[in-house]
Amino acid sequence: MAHSPKRKLFLDLVLSLFRLNGLLVAEGDQMAEALGLTSARWKVIGVVALANSGVTVPGIARVLGQSRQAVQRITDVMEKDGLLRYQENPDHKRSVLVCLTDEGQNVYTALRAVQDPWAIENTEDVPVEELEIGLQLVRRLIHKFDR
Amino acid sequence: MAHSPKRKLFLDLVLSLFRLNGLLVAEGDQMAEALGLTSARWKVIGVVALANSGVTVPGIARVLGQSRQAVQRITDVMEKDGLLRYQENPDHKRSVLVCLTDEGQNVYTALRAVQDPWAIENTEDVPVEELEIGLQLVRRLIHKFDR
DNA sequence: GTGTAAATGACAACATGCTGCTTAATGTCT
DNA sequence: AGACATTAAGCAGCATGTTGTCATTTACAC
């Protein structure tokens, strides 16, 4: 395979990405645990919090690149737990808007207090250029596969 | 957060990694589908094929960074399907060795015929340096989280 | 307007992964 | 040899994510 050293490089990368994904989910679970969250809810609350106005369930799914059914189940539980609130959507009779409740806002704030130091700590000894190139590569691959 | 531009960079990277993971699993499912495999079985058969001698189930799990139960269920199905074979382990009375059957070897060969062009195609317009730095970053993060 | 395509919700079936528990085999230290 | 820790299997329960199907609502082209 001398004419394509990239091949093995790429396959190594893919295998490593699978592994890193598992570790990141575990990290998310650990960080969110103290707040009564899980990694899946961590992802969802992040999307809802960043959208200052409400977002629909399929909208969250599109941002996360997941199925709307998977997101729906998470939001249903979080609504029951009082973190999210469904609000009438003037633009759509059936598709309600998902918003943070006050409690949800508090939890998100607490989450940030854990998440931000985590992010800073884990990039302390990583050069900015490496992060930038890595993100560029990941985005490039996402764009390649997301059709 | 002016003193840590890395923070947002890193969080963006993590979110993108979640998404890329989902897309990669979908790619794996699509490639493996014609061979009657799934992405999970794709991962397992790859590990078994690379270990010319047999490997134990917990051994596969360690390579993939997954729980042994998750791997065990996959190997059980693949053994029933005739792709894998359990072989007595002289070093351990209970922990058998997992090997490829002839059919498993054929499937793996067919898999390579799909997987290698896929890898080459998806790196055509990506500079080698970007792949190398990306892999380095991913490995760095794995090492950071894998304790 | 009307008809068709796309988006959404609701429900079900299934694959993949995790943890916790108990029991058995293996390795190590004294 | 005996005690102890480690590693492994097997089983159960659960979280997360996927696909498929169907009915309803919305969007768009004609």
Side-chain angles (χ1 to χ4, degrees):
Chain A
M1 246 10 105
H3 66 291
S4 90
K6 287 179 181 176
R7 188 191 57 89
K8 179 157 174 27
L9 207 51
F10 182 66
L11 293 174
D12 278 355
L13 179 64
V14 170
L15 255 187
S16 301
L17 283 173
F18 284 142
R19 182 153 192 183
L20 179 55
N21 181 74
L23 290 169
L24 281 175
V25 170
E27 288 282 312
D29 280 331
Q30 200 174 330
M31 272 192 297
E33 191 181 21
L35 304 168
L37 293 177
T38 62
S39 57
R41 293 166 207 195
W42 168 46
K43 296 184 205 173
V44 169
I45 206 174
V47 175
V48 176
L50 289 185
N52 31 23
S53 58
V55 277
T56 64
V57 168
I60 301 173
R62 276 187 292 268
V63 172
L64 292 178
Q66 290 183 344
S67 71
R68 62 194 165 76
Q69 290 89 333
V71 174
Q72 182 77 60
R73 194 181 31 207
I74 307 289
T75 57
D76 282 350
V77 177
M78 292 177 76
E79 191 263 344
K80 213 168 277 177
D81 287 352
L83 299 173
L84 299 180
R85 168 173 56 87
Y86 291 141
Q87 177 180 309
E88 255 193 29
N89 185 350
D91 294 337
H92 200 297
K93 204 177 287 184
R94 295 180 73 199
S95 193
V96 295
L97 292 176
V98 182
C99 305
L100 284 184
T101 60
D102 289 345
E103 191 189 339
Q105 185 64 56
N106 289 339
V107 169
Y108 182 66
T109 305
L111 193 55
R112 287 288 302 268
V114 182
Q115 176 188 309
D116 288 354
W118 173 79
I120 293 172
E121 179 194 337
N122 284 305
T123 50
E124 250 174 1
D125 54 351
V126 183
V128 182
E129 301 76 32
E130 193 170 320
L131 288 175
E132 278 167 349
I133 295 179
L135 180 56
Q136 179 188 333
L137 173 60
V138 171
R139 288 203 168 134
R140 205 198 279 260
L141 293 175
I142 288 175
H143 182 258
K144 212 176 277 283
F145 295 134
D146 193 13
R147 292 169 197 165
Chain B
M1 271 325 142
H3 66 290
S4 90
K6 288 178 181 177
R7 188 191 57 90
K8 180 157 173 30
L9 207 50
F10 182 66
L11 292 174
D12 278 355
L13 179 64
V14 170
L15 255 187
S16 301
L17 283 173
F18 284 144
R19 182 154 192 184
L20 179 55
N21 181 72
L23 290 170
L24 281 175
V25 170
E27 287 283 312
D29 279 332
Q30 200 174 331
M31 273 193 296
E33 191 181 20
L35 304 169
L37 293 177
T38 62
S39 57
R41 293 166 208 194
W42 169 46
K43 297 184 205 172
V44 169
I45 206 173
V47 175
V48 177
L50 288 185
N52 32 22
S53 57
V55 276
T56 64
V57 167
I60 301 172
R62 276 188 292 267
V63 171
L64 292 178
Q66 291 184 343
S67 71
R68 68 192 165 74
Q69 289 91 334
V71 174
Q72 182 78 60
R73 195 181 32 208
I74 307 289
T75 58
D76 282 350
V77 177
M78 292 176 77
E79 191 261 345
K80 213 169 274 177
D81 287 352
L83 297 174
L84 298 181
R85 167 172 57 86
Y86 291 141
Q87 177 181 310
E88 254 193 30
N89 186 348
D91 293 337
H92 200 298
K93 206 176 285 186
R94 294 178 74 197
S95 193
V96 295
L97 292 175
V98 183
C99 305
L100 284 184
T101 61
D102 289 345
E103 192 189 340
Q105 185 64 55
N106 290 338
V107 169
Y108 182 66
T109 304
L111 193 57
R112 288 288 302 268
V114 182
Q115 175 189 308
D116 288 355
W118 173 80
I120 293 172
E121 180 194 336
N122 284 304
T123 50
E124 250 173 0
D125 54 352
V126 182
V128 183
E129 301 76 35
E130 193 169 320
L131 288 175
E132 278 165 350
I133 294 179
L135 181 56
Q136 178 188 334
L137 172 60
V138 172
R139 288 206 169 130
R140 206 197 280 260
L141 294 175
I142 288 176
H143 181 258
K144 214 176 276 286
F145 295 135
D146 192 13
R147 292 168 199 165

